[in-house]
């Protein structure tokens, strides 16, 4: 045992010092205790394990064309999705616009509930009328919680009703580990998803709404006269072929990211839950997408998914 070896060595040293300095009446008991304390501290530091992230970690990599799993680590573990939640909010907003239930230029009144959402937020005022177009931009690019809540309320009348609609849609997609409690991803009891489920959702966003998907790859947009910068812009600029999708962070979730990238005739979607920092998240996502491209097949034919009947689900 390292501690015992240190102890025996230092006690022997103390006895030698005691013999040499007996006549000086040196307070050797205190000296022994001090040396022992120092030795224990050195041993503990030397044998201490490396610091690990406090967040639960999970990853999943998918071939976007086939939907096949290419890599997974705790991919089915239920964890806090944070703002990856907004991927579903935006999916349902795109659906409402495409089906004619909402228009991009339609203005909705911002509720007190939306205004009270904590940051990240756009900063709307109660009663302010904002178009669906600008709410979508703020939620997708700025990850604004107030914008996501306002979209949910515009679609379902209340955020609680919208969360149930989100969960029903998730089940229809095959997202068996997902339950939503709100439109923005703020921590709430039972608000959970998995890395695999978010990859499924990312794939649906790409294939079901290709005309809107480009929004996730933009570095900035303008909303109500303000330039909003993409929370994912550093990764988008650092990885060749990256074109989305969404970042997320809460103190309960850690640093999450759902990303997509295209190279040649290959497209890969990867998800990271629970990274310890933005830097670590970017590093891990780079590794995951590299794994994906090494394993993914090349496809030349255009792919489409079986449509969901959200009018029945709603």
């Amino acid at each position: 045992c390292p501690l015992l070896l240190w102890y025996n060595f230092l006690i022997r040293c103390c006895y030698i010092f005691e013999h040499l300095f007996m006549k000086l009446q040196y307070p050797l008991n205190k000296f022994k205790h001090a040396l022992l304390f120092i030795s224990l501290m050195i041993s503990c530091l030397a044998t201490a394990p490396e610091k690990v992230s406090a967040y639960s970690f999970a990853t999943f990599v998918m071939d976007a064309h086939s939907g096949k799993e290419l890599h997974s680590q705790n991919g089915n573990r239920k964890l806090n999705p944070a703002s990856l939640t907004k991927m579903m909010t935006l999916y349902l907003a795109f659906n409402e616009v495409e089906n004619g239930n909402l228009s991009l230029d339609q203005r909705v009144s911002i509720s007190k509930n939306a205004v009270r959402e904590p940051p990240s937020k756009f900063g709307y005022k109660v009663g302010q009328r904002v178009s669906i177009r600008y709410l979508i931009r703020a939620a997708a690019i700025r990850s604004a919680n107030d914008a996501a809540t306002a979209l949910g309320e515009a679609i379902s009348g209340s955020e609680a009703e919208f969360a149930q609609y989100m969960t029903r849609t998730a089940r229809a997609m095959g997202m068996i580990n997902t339950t939503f409690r709100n439109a923005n991803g703020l921590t709430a009891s039972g608000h959970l998803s998995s890395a695999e489920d978010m990859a499924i959702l990312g794939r649906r966003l790409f294939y079901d709404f290709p005309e809107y998907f480009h929004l996730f790859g933009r570095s900035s947009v303008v909303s109500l006269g303000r330039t909003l910068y993409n929370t994912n812009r550093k990764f988008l600029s650092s990885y060749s072929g990256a074109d989305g999708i969404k970042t997320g962070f809460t103190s309960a979730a850690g640093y999450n990211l759902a990303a997509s990238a295209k190279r040649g005739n290959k497209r890969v979607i990867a998800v990271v839950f629970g990274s310890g920092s933005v830097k670590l998240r970017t590093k891990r996502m780079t590794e995951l997408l590299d794994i994906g491209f090494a394993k993914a097949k090349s496809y030349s034919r255009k792919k489409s998914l079986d449509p969901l009947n959200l009018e029945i689900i709603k």
Side-chain angles (χ1 to χ4, degrees):
C1 174
L3 291 178
L4 289 177
L5 291 174
W6 270 99
Y7 178 81
N8 289 333
F9 172 75
L10 292 169
I11 289 298
R12 287 177 182 273
C13 291
C14 288
Y15 285 140
I16 295 172
F17 285 128
E18 185 176 9
H19 177 73
L20 292 173
F21 299 105
M22 181 67 73
K23 293 182 180 181
L24 297 178
Q25 299 296 310
Y26 189 84
L28 287 172
N29 284 334
K30 293 183 179 180
F31 183 63
K32 291 178 186 177
H33 294 158
L35 284 175
L36 181 59
F37 175 76
I38 293 171
S39 70
L40 288 170
M41 290 295 293
I42 293 173
S43 180
C44 288
L45 289 172
T47 59
E50 294 183 4
K51 184 179 179 181
V52 296
S53 172
Y55 306 117
S56 295
F57 189 73
T59 63
F60 192 86
V61 184
M62 174 187 287
D63 184 322
H65 187 277
S66 66
K68 180 182 177 181
E69 173 188 321
L70 301 176
H71 173 83
S72 178
Q73 179 183 351
N74 304 319
N76 289 317
R77 180 181 292 177
K78 294 182 180 181
L79 299 171
N80 294 285
S83 284
L84 301 193
T85 298
K86 295 185 180 77
M87 292 163 61
M88 180 62 84
T89 300
L90 291 162
Y91 181 94
L92 294 176
F94 298 154
N95 180 71
E96 292 296 300
V97 172
E98 285 299 291
N99 287 340
N101 297 326
L102 293 174
S103 71
L104 289 174
D105 294 321
Q106 178 179 338
R107 293 188 176 188
V108 297
S109 180
I110 304 298
S111 70
K112 185 182 295 185
N113 180 48
V115 170
R116 286 176 175 173
E117 299 289 16
S120 173
K121 60 196 296 182
F122 186 91
Y124 303 113
K125 305 298 182 183
V126 176
Q128 183 178 354
R129 296 186 64 79
V130 181
S131 70
I132 296 296
R133 182 190 309 275
Y134 288 148
L135 291 176
I136 287 174
R137 290 181 179 182
I141 301 300
R142 184 67 181 89
S143 197
N145 294 325
D146 48 1
T149 297
L151 284 171
E153 291 173 341
I155 293 169
S156 296
S158 72
E159 189 174 17
E161 287 293 326
F162 184 66
Q164 293 180 29
Y165 180 27
M166 294 169 74
T167 301
R168 290 193 297 271
T169 304
R171 293 292 179 275
M173 290 182 180
M175 299 169 62
I176 62 174
N177 295 305
T178 299
T179 302
F180 294 111
R181 296 285 187 254
N182 56 55
N184 45 56
L186 290 168
T187 304
S189 178
H191 187 97
L192 300 169
S193 188
S194 68
E196 180 178 6
D197 280 4
M198 283 297 161
I200 292 171
L201 177 54
R203 184 173 183 242
R204 274 286 176 181
L205 274 168
F206 175 75
Y207 282 110
D208 291 353
F209 299 108
E211 65 273 35
Y212 296 100
F213 191 82
H214 69 89
L215 180 64
F216 297 109
R218 297 176 65 175
S219 60
S220 66
V221 296
V222 174
S223 179
L224 297 178
R226 287 169 51 183
T227 300
L228 306 181
Y229 294 97
N230 197 324
T231 57
N232 197 28
R233 63 188 181 279
K234 289 185 177 180
F235 176 76
L236 290 171
S237 63
S238 67
Y239 193 85
S240 175
D243 56 6
I245 307 173
K246 190 74 189 67
T247 63
F249 171 79
T250 64
S251 57
Y255 294 84
N256 297 352
L257 176 59
S260 68
K262 181 181 184 296
R263 290 180 179 175
N265 290 325
K266 296 181 180 182
R267 175 171 289 278
V268 174
I269 294 172
V271 179
V272 173
F273 272 59
S275 288
S277 67
V278 172
K279 183 177 181 180
L280 288 173
R281 180 178 70 187
T282 298
K283 180 177 182 295
R284 186 56 177 147
M285 181 55 73
T286 298
E287 295 169 349
L288 290 172
L289 288 173
D290 287 346
I291 290 171
F293 281 117
K295 294 183 176 181
K297 293 182 179 181
S298 182
Y299 295 91
S300 57
R301 292 181 301 170
K302 188 175 180 180
K303 176 76 175 182
S304 62
L305 303 182
D306 293 335
L308 300 176
N309 191 340
L310 296 186
E311 292 303 311
I312 294 177
I313 296 170
K314 190 176 180 180

